[in-house]
Amino acid sequence: GSASPQTNPGGTCPFSGAQMPDADLPMMADSFDPFDGPYQLDPAEALRWSRDQLPVFYAPKLGYWVVSRYDDIKAVFRDNILFSPKNVLEKITPATPDAMEILKSYDYAMNRTMVNEDEPAHMERRRALMDHFIPANLEQHQDMIRRLTREKIDAFIDSGRVDLVDAMLYEVPLLVALHFLGVPEDEIATLRTFSVAHSVNTWGKPSDEKQIAVAHDVGRFWQYAGQVIEKMRQQPDGTGWMHHTIRMNQEIPEVVTDSYVHSMMMAIIVAAHETTSLASTNMFKTLLTNRQAWDDICADPSLIPNAVEECLRYAGSIVAWRRQTTAPTTLNGIDLPEGAKLLIVQASGNQDDRHFEDAATFDIYRDNAVDHLTFGYGAHQCMGKNIGRMEMRIFLEEMTRRLPHLRLAEQEFTYLPNTSFRGPDHLWVEWNPAQNPERITPALREADRDFPVGAPARRDIARKVRVRDLHHETDGIIRLTLEDPQNRPLPRWSAGAHIEICVGDYDRKYSLCGTPGDDAFQIAILREDAGRGGSCYIHDTVQAGQTLKMRGPHNLFRMDETAPHYTLIAGGIGITPILAMADRLKHLGKPYALHYAGRALRSMALLDRLRADHGAALTLHPSDQGQRMDLPALVATVPDGGQIYACGPADLLTTLETLTADHPAGTFHFEHFSAGSSGLDPDKELPFEVELADSGLLVQVPRDGTMLDAILAAGIDVGSDCREGLCGSCEVTVLEGDIDHRDVVLTRAERQENRRVMSCCSRAKNGGRLKLA
Ligand code: HEM
Ligand code: FES
């Protein structure tokens, strides 16, 4: 493997921070080489320039189009018809003729499995083989994973120094995979050579000589997989997913084909094993490098599920995946021909500031970490993700409990050079065994804590902040300054960002404004007597020095910083994000005008700060002094290319929307607090009723809500992932009623049958009633 220094990525990278002149872009694209240099060192950092300036580009050295932004990668994953996965397991470095001859001599015939299969074959197969992966059926594996993990830890806990990869992280995921699959456990050592060969063969750049050796290993792996299948066919009562697969192969051979079974036997070992081993290794490296996070987890293990997601986001094991266009198309304005091969770099998307606020910072309190793309997305999203999660959680829980004093040893990390699988080959850790807590408290060895299978729930993730200062801005407005209770830095945020304060049963969103140079958060809260009560609760109960729970920051109101001029418009309490934007524009040296309207000067918050820092750009419009804002006149003064950002009451925003209707797209921006909304247009939808046969419950689905949410709210568990009709997780059985199908999962025949429905997106026809099993 290639050596890489043990530095925190980002600090010394030649690409970080510096704004690149546009003239360098073609050069950057031309020289992009995923097998070497910056990409191998840190793929997300190596593509920062691309995320910022050229998010889709052709890399001639690879023959692929590289896609680096979160939204674009997700869009590609979302459409598996236009962006086919057929090239996912293609050799990224073509085989030499000699290597091909060798593979032929082993009758190597690796075919489509699942991850690289097109529709409609893929979805039929995925659904036929899904059952073993649903959370309710995974619970039973926790004990096995814990037992295997404990055996490994027992073996090294008194040694004081170990390579975690060799001692645990390599083998446990392999054993777990074999258990899950129902494959005999022998020949682990052989399998180890095989999987490495498969990874190098598929995603690596072996030299011509190396190709020969790899071809032999891949050929042997292929034959070995065939033998394992034959052995398993002799055990008709065998348990595990591959046994189920073999039975399905007998029942529905046209869906679960012979070729699939053989190919899958080889592919699944890599899919289930390497992915999890590498992700776990990355996790320990990341957490021990970010010691504060490790210590927080030792003190509070309930942080583990989200810490695992943040590790998968920040340092995932699958850093890039592939797709191929089936028709000419455009992606983020770039024309792609039919047959274009795409390298979609999840590691880069996972560090895209457009989706993750302060993305380059590792933060286990990040409440949208679970949005990471490391498991892919949509129709092909990793079926085994909840097994991987379960393993990583148990590894972390056992290690933080039994070895809280673990530290990273001095070492140089090496990686297998390839485009997609990433994690250090070895991870040396050290500790003083005399300090092992279980020497004093032996019961610690047995203690454990299992987490519910599946993604962490957002409501369980929160960050604590302390009220440093509470300031009465006006009669009805208080301004809170919030800091970290341990005086650590708070996450950085960009102008337009908001946080959510969790008070009582309420989560309320407040835009951030702060003093430049001070990393404390500031929010201004208007007492809304007519609201749901959250603001009154804060006004009445919160005091300086108190600790609050919050989520975020998030930014749904991001500024495009390239405009030549900005008009900022605030109505009432809407001033907070607008002030942050003004601060930013001043910092950038951009021309801007700031208009702030309110009922009366004494009801308008933040005036001192505005006058001090933005006096030259500021116009106040207190309506009690007859200085109402003249919106048509304001809009008329916006120069060509200028942009308007507004925050305030709904009528202000609707008026501006109408006034700017004829302006070029992108002129007018306002905040969409869309979190939690379904994206349904209540004007176009009808409410309907769902009867749940088992429980006898009758639930109402509102115009702007989904059946899935209504069922969940009634306390009935239904799986879900994509929530947009792509992945097939939320299927429920329909006993009566006509369905308006809106998914892309069900076949035409199944739609006509009217017996199944994807509850996340489909509805009852004409507002009728559905009866579900
Ligand atoms: C697919 C990553 C663990 C089984 C995938 C894909 C990725 C991925 C990126 C392709 C997704 C897409 O195209 O949208 C990971 C990571 C893991 C992990 C990072 C661990 C941390 C597992 C495990 C298993 C598994 C433990 C099985 C026991 C599968 C299967 C698919 C898949 C069957 C194909 C799904 C389909 O095409 O419909 N995984 N995986 N994975 N993974 Fe995983
Ligand atoms: Fe993915 Fe409904 S189809 S959650």
Side-chain angles (χ1 to χ4, degrees):
S2 68
S4 69
Q6 185 210 331
T7 48
N8 190 16
T12 53
C13 178
F15 302 122
S16 61
Q19 188 72 21
M20 207 107 47
D22 289 350
D24 282 349
L25 289 178
M27 193 271 286
M28 300 298 295
D30 279 358
S31 63
F32 177 76
D33 180 353
F35 300 108
D36 192 28
Y39 183 92
Q40 285 300 314
L41 207 58
D42 181 349
E45 195 53 37
L47 283 169
R48 181 187 288 275
W49 67 272
S50 159
R51 285 197 299 284
D52 287 348
Q53 300 190 56
L54 191 62
V56 180
F57 69 91
Y58 185 72
K61 283 195 175 169
L62 190 63
Y64 276 67
W65 296 81
V66 178
V67 184
S68 64
R69 274 195 195 164
Y70 184 90
D71 284 347
D72 295 339
I73 296 170
K74 201 158 176 177
V76 170
F77 272 128
R78 191 177 270 131
D79 189 344
N80 62 324
I81 308 296
L82 183 55
F83 301 102
S84 158
K86 63 183 163 203
N87 64 341
V88 155
L89 298 180
E90 216 169 66
K91 280 165 71 66
I92 205 158
T93 305
T96 59
D98 289 349
M100 280 204 299
E101 274 309 306
I102 292 166
L103 285 171
K104 231 189 296 73
S105 73
Y106 288 94
D107 295 326
Y108 178 69
M110 181 74 166
N111 208 328
R112 302 293 179 85
T113 55
M114 182 119 65
V115 78
N116 56 351
E117 181 62 281
D118 281 315
E119 304 304 345
H122 159 261
M123 195 43 93
E124 266 184 275
R125 201 176 279 162
R126 178 173 164 111
R127 291 172 62 216
L129 300 175
M130 177 92 91
D131 208 41
H132 281 241
F133 288 98
I134 64 171
N137 293 336
L138 292 179
E139 235 36 270
Q140 51 158 327
H141 298 300
Q142 303 224 87
D143 289 348
M144 174 261 296
I145 301 175
R146 205 172 278 280
R147 178 176 51 77
L148 292 168
T149 309
R150 279 194 183 156
E151 280 170 18
K152 297 291 181 197
I153 299 180
D154 286 347
F156 64 65
I157 192 158
D158 290 319
S159 72
R161 181 180 159 87
V162 79
D163 168 13
L164 269 189
V165 177
D166 272 355
M168 178 166 104
L169 300 179
Y170 188 81
E171 218 168 279
V172 178
L174 178 55
L175 291 169
V176 171
L178 297 180
H179 275 276
F180 174 77
L181 300 173
V183 172
E185 257 184 45
D186 37 14
E187 299 195 68
I188 285 201
T190 332
L191 277 174
R192 182 166 190 163
T193 0
F194 288 166
S195 324
V196 173
H198 180 59
S199 302
V200 173
N201 186 48
T202 313
W203 296 282
K205 192 179 181 183
S207 63
D208 287 3
E209 275 153 52
K210 181 97 187 165
Q211 287 232 16
I212 305 282
V214 166
H216 279 294
D217 279 340
V218 169
R220 280 192 215 113
F221 192 178
W222 174 252
Q223 295 212 330
Y224 171 81
Q227 288 155 15
V228 174
I229 299 277
E230 279 321 305
K231 223 187 218 168
M232 291 175 76
R233 282 194 199 278
Q234 312 309 318
Q235 311 164 335
D237 304 328
T239 53
W241 188 62
M242 275 317 286
H243 278 291
H244 174 66
T245 301
I246 289 168
R247 281 194 288 275
M248 293 311 262
N249 167 242
Q250 281 148 6
E251 266 176 49
I252 38 171
E254 67 291 349
V255 174
V256 181
T257 60
D258 289 346
S259 145
Y260 164 79
V261 176
H262 191 162
S263 301
M264 193 56 169
M265 186 67 244
M266 179 162 158
I268 190 67
I269 292 176
V270 179
H273 170 217
E274 294 275 305
T275 50
T276 314
S277 286
L278 294 169
S280 307
T281 312
N282 290 335
M283 169 175 77
F284 282 105
K285 177 172 182 270
T286 304
L287 286 169
L288 292 172
T289 310
N290 294 271
R291 186 75 206 186
Q292 194 68 60
W294 174 269
D295 290 343
D296 284 7
I297 293 168
C298 292
D300 179 6
S302 75
L303 296 171
I304 288 174
N306 198 54
V308 166
E309 300 307 317
E310 176 66 352
C311 288
L312 285 164
R313 180 193 76 86
Y314 184 80
S317 51
I318 302 289
V319 294
W321 215 235
R322 286 181 278 172
R323 289 292 188 260
Q324 188 163 350
T325 58
T326 53
T329 184
T330 57
L331 185 60
N332 204 340
I334 302 287
D335 289 330
L336 299 174
E338 178 180 340
K341 293 180 173 186
L342 270 50
L343 186 75
I344 48 180
V345 186
Q346 292 121 296
S348 170
N350 285 346
Q351 293 206 20
D352 186 344
D353 287 316
R354 291 157 200 81
H355 190 85
F356 299 102
E357 194 71 352
D358 192 14
T361 297
F362 178 71
D363 175 10
I364 60 171
Y365 301 96
R366 186 187 291 282
D367 57 284
N368 67 346
V370 70
D371 290 353
H372 66 74
L373 298 166
T374 303
F375 291 128
Y377 183 74
H380 287 270
Q381 196 189 40
C382 179
M383 288 171 85
K385 64 185 177 174
N386 289 326
I387 305 176
R389 282 178 168 139
M390 206 152 80
E391 293 183 56
M392 292 172 73
R393 291 172 186 181
I394 291 175
F395 296 158
L396 188 54
E397 202 268 327
E398 289 283 329
M399 291 290 283
T400 47
R401 190 182 75 246
R402 301 183 66 186
L403 289 170
H405 48 317
L406 193 72
R407 50 176 199 274
L408 213 51
E410 196 69 36
Q411 65 202 295
E412 277 221 336
F413 292 106
T414 59
Y415 294 82
L416 183 75
N418 77 101
T419 54
S420 298
F421 281 61
R422 183 175 167 84
D425 299 325
H426 301 283
L427 188 75
W428 285 96
V429 290
E430 296 169 338
W431 66 99
N432 178 358
Q435 289 172 7
N436 289 357
E438 61 200 55
R439 292 199 179 179
I440 298 160
T441 321
L444 264 182
R445 182 191 176 271
E446 307 299 332
D448 63 41
R449 171 168 190 154
D450 282 338
F451 299 97
V453 177
R458 195 166 176 274
R459 63 170 182 277
D460 294 337
I461 308 163
R463 177 192 319 277
K464 288 194 182 113
V465 282
R466 185 175 52 215
V467 181
R468 181 202 285 170
D469 181 47
L470 187 155
H471 178 77
H472 288 272
E473 282 282 325
T474 68
D475 262 359
I477 299 177
I478 53 172
R479 175 163 51 86
L480 303 182
T481 307
L482 307 171
E483 63 189 1
D484 183 89
Q486 297 173 50
N487 299 317
R488 294 182 276 182
L490 285 171
R492 278 176 296 217
W493 52 279
S494 51
H498 69 270
I499 59 174
E500 260 175 68
I501 299 285
C502 322
V503 277
D505 295 336
Y506 303 99
D507 294 340
R508 293 292 310 260
K509 295 187 173 72
Y510 297 103
S511 295
L512 287 170
C513 60
T515 317
D518 176 4
D519 85 341
F521 295 151
Q522 286 186 32
I523 53 175
I525 301 173
L526 169 71
R527 186 184 184 103
E528 287 175 282
D529 291 313
R532 282 186 303 151
S535 67
C536 296
Y537 186 93
I538 298 178
H539 270 255
D540 295 341
T541 62
V542 170
Q543 292 170 358
Q546 186 177 339
T547 303
L548 297 177
K549 279 188 171 177
M550 58 151 282
R551 297 195 191 94
H554 291 289
N555 199 338
L556 303 171
F557 194 26
R558 210 170 277 283
M559 260 197 309
D560 165 5
E561 295 184 348
T562 62
H565 183 273
Y566 296 81
T567 305
L568 307 177
I569 301 175
I573 196 66
I575 187 63
T576 47
I578 295 297
L579 170 56
M581 289 179 169
D583 287 342
R584 174 70 184 160
L585 293 171
K586 187 173 169 185
H587 173 79
L588 291 174
K590 292 270 184 179
Y592 62 99
L594 201 173
H595 295 270
Y596 180 15
R599 243 167 306 190
L601 273 183
R602 62 182 155 68
S603 73
M604 292 165 71
L606 296 160
L607 287 178
D608 291 346
R609 229 286 262 136
L610 285 162
R611 286 184 178 124
D613 290 341
H614 302 286
L618 182 68
T619 315
L620 297 174
H621 303 270
S623 51
D624 69 339
Q625 297 180 18
Q627 294 169 15
R628 287 184 66 94
M629 200 144 53
D630 180 353
L631 291 175
L634 254 179
V635 170
T637 60
V638 172
D640 266 2
Q643 295 189 8
I644 305 172
Y645 289 78
C647 185
D651 54 347
L652 170 81
L653 303 179
T654 358
T655 311
L656 281 168
E657 215 172 1
T658 316
L659 288 170
T660 54
D662 295 334
H663 285 60
T667 300
F668 175 49
H669 306 260
F670 60 100
E671 181 143 35
H672 305 267
F673 270 142
S674 63
S677 90
S678 56
L680 290 166
D681 182 347
D683 293 340
K684 299 209 175 93
E685 305 293 351
L686 292 172
F688 63 99
E689 258 177 5
V690 174
E691 185 184 338
L692 304 168
D694 273 354
S695 57
L697 287 173
L698 198 61
V699 300
Q700 310 295 328
V701 184
R703 284 170 193 278
D704 58 352
T706 67
M707 180 157 41
L708 174 66
D709 283 334
I711 302 173
L712 290 174
I716 310 285
D717 272 341
V718 183
S720 68
D721 271 319
C722 70
R723 291 179 163 260
E724 51 176 331
L726 303 173
C727 74
S729 311
C730 62
E731 178 174 321
V732 286
T733 304
V734 180
L735 301 174
E736 281 167 29
D738 287 336
I739 309 164
D740 173 3
H741 290 287
R742 301 188 183 177
D743 61 279
V744 296
V745 172
L746 296 175
T747 60
R748 196 185 312 169
E750 286 171 324
R751 278 163 209 274
Q752 279 160 0
E753 223 179 47
N754 213 40
R755 281 285 163 270
R756 299 152 187 279
V757 66
M758 293 302 145
S759 59
C760 66
C761 58
S762 299
R763 304 180 73 82
K765 241 184 213 157
N766 308 322
R769 179 194 281 201
L770 296 181
K771 185 169 175 184
L772 306 181

